[in-house]
Amino acid sequence: MISSILFSRATFLSAALAALGGDVLLCPNVRSDVPQTSLPSSMNDKERDAQLQLASCLVRKSTSDYLHDDPTLAGPFLRLAFHDAATREDSSSTSFAAFSGGPNGSIKYELDWSENRGLSRPLKVIEQIHAEIVRNLNISLADTIALAGAQAVQAARGPTISIRLGRRDATKADERNRRNNLQSDTTGSLVDTTLPSAGLDSEGLRLYFGALGLSDKEFVALCGAHDLGRHVTLLDMPKACLKNLTRECLENAPMLMPFVAEEPDTFSNSYFLKLLKWNDRRVALGEVAFIPTDVDLVVDEGLRRYVKHFARDKAAFYSTFATAYRKLVEPGTTSVRRY
């Protein structure tokens, strides 16, 4: 009796998935990194796989629907995924098996952090998507955030990024300050917070992203996300806010400035082209609005070679970005497959 119930439910999920799966942009074919014989084989595991695949397709479809109506959400969706995942700190310097923080949905408790200004709006949308889907399917908010970030890249004409699922949601904020600080021999390399400071020098960036398991090439690619979206500025800010710059002022800033002015809602490798142009002092006023960590990538000779590489080869940038994104958001996942 139990087996027949599970079979019927699994068959229903498969049928629903097939109905959605006709659109390859929303439900792309995903390949596992392990042989087919290693995939789950029991009825319970098959049902769970069907649920995850259906839930992931629904998240991606809903995300794409919102982006169709408001393309300016692409950058915030991606930034939300970054800031939820990047708070990870390993408990051991030699193992990534045990860690605190990371991609766990804790961002909902961290909106008062100055680094997370402007994220209330995208989080509200993602929570609405999650609330609708979780009524019938079991998927965490953390999974929803990571999927929405990947789908935002794809919808903005970037690479298709399938990811593993099975994250568990946190019930409180992650630690804002690191338990173990990192620093090399430069003043600007001090890494003492779980989200990166905009004032880190190139050595600080290496330490920060290296602790997350990313190579120099991978974190330079990840920084290419600044091709997408905008950041808060003080332009046209009310006088009351200039006197007392509250969280509400930052959340409702009247003027947002794109890192790269040209097509800020489209994912491409133009960020790297503009960095090189900036380095040659050939950018026009208002063409870019880089922050210090952007400039680090071209000032540092070792990192500049990757900027040049990605500026020449968009396909290489897309491939490396997808790898880096997975490394950032997949710790703590339990699924074998990617969705």
Side-chain angles (χ1 to χ4, degrees):
M1 182 65 177
I2 294 177
S3 297
S4 65
I5 293 173
L6 290 175
F7 178 78
S8 298
R9 192 172 172 202
T11 302
F12 166 76
L13 290 167
S14 298
L17 180 62
L20 280 173
D23 189 338
V24 295
L25 294 177
L26 298 178
C27 299
N29 293 325
V30 290
R31 294 189 298 268
S32 172
D33 289 339
V34 299
Q36 188 71 23
T37 54
S38 297
L39 292 174
S41 57
S42 71
M43 188 61 66
N44 282 333
D45 286 339
K46 284 184 177 180
E47 178 185 320
R48 180 61 179 151
D49 176 65
Q51 284 201 36
L52 286 175
Q53 192 161 4
L54 177 55
S56 68
C57 282
L58 290 170
V59 170
R60 287 180 180 271
K61 183 181 186 306
S62 295
T63 301
S64 291
D65 288 345
Y66 274 102
L67 290 169
H68 179 269
D69 294 337
D70 185 1
T72 67
L73 280 169
F77 281 166
L78 183 56
R79 182 167 166 250
L80 184 72
F82 280 2
H83 283 224
D84 187 47
T87 54
R88 174 166 57 91
E89 181 177 3
D90 298 306
S91 60
S92 168
S93 61
T94 59
S95 172
F96 284 90
F99 58 87
S100 62
N104 56 13
S106 65
I107 189 74
K108 66 184 293 184
Y109 307 108
E110 298 157 4
L111 294 178
D112 59 335
W113 296 8
S114 59
E115 301 94 329
N116 292 332
R117 61 185 177 272
L119 290 180
S120 294
R121 175 175 169 242
L123 178 62
K124 182 178 180 180
V125 175
I126 299 305
E127 286 182 318
Q128 289 173 348
I129 292 173
H130 176 252
E132 184 65 27
I133 294 172
V134 81
R135 290 165 56 188
N136 299 300
L137 296 166
N138 185 18
I139 187 170
S140 65
L141 176 63
D143 280 345
T144 307
I145 290 171
L147 282 166
Q151 188 60 28
V153 172
Q154 182 178 336
R157 303 179 192 173
T160 298
I161 308 174
S162 56
I163 58 172
R164 292 190 172 93
L165 302 178
R167 298 162 187 79
R168 297 184 63 179
D169 286 337
T171 57
K172 62 179 182 178
D174 289 338
E175 293 295 329
R176 189 174 184 179
N177 297 312
R178 289 182 59 89
R179 296 187 306 274
N180 300 301
N181 293 347
L182 306 171
Q183 188 171 20
S184 65
D185 55 358
T186 64
T187 303
S189 65
L190 175 62
V191 180
D192 57 1
T193 55
T194 53
L195 287 177
S197 165
L200 287 177
D201 64 16
S202 58
E203 287 305 307
L205 290 175
R206 286 187 173 94
L207 289 172
Y208 179 83
F209 287 105
L212 293 174
L214 298 175
S215 67
D216 285 6
K217 182 179 180 180
E218 288 166 344
F219 86 69
V220 170
L222 208 60
C223 290
H226 279 181
D227 185 59
L228 199 60
R230 301 156 178 82
H231 59 84
V232 172
T233 75
L234 298 180
L235 296 175
D236 293 337
M237 191 74 76
K239 289 183 179 180
C241 283
L242 293 176
K243 292 180 180 179
N244 182 24
L245 196 59
T246 64
R247 175 190 166 195
E248 184 179 357
C249 290
L250 294 170
E251 289 286 345
N252 299 307
M255 182 72 73
L256 300 178
M257 185 77 71
F259 294 94
V260 177
E262 185 179 355
E263 296 188 296
D265 302 314
T266 300
F267 191 92
S268 72
N269 65 336
S270 63
Y271 169 81
F272 301 107
L273 293 165
K274 298 297 184 182
L275 274 175
L276 294 175
K277 192 175 179 180
W278 178 92
N279 197 47
D280 292 338
R281 302 298 188 267
R282 294 185 293 107
V283 293
L285 183 64
E287 189 174 357
V288 298
F290 293 137
I291 59 177
T293 49
D294 295 316
V295 174
D296 286 342
L297 304 185
V298 284
V299 172
D300 184 287
E301 184 176 355
L303 300 180
R304 187 167 63 247
R305 66 188 180 113
Y306 297 118
V307 173
K308 291 180 177 179
H309 177 55
F310 295 142
R312 291 192 305 265
D313 192 338
K314 184 165 73 171
F317 164 50
Y318 281 13
S319 176
T320 308
F321 182 90
T323 297
Y325 185 81
R326 290 186 182 111
K327 282 190 175 184
L328 185 66
V329 304
E330 287 192 339
T333 56
T334 58
S335 72
V336 177
R337 293 185 59 189
R338 288 190 170 119
Y339 302 86

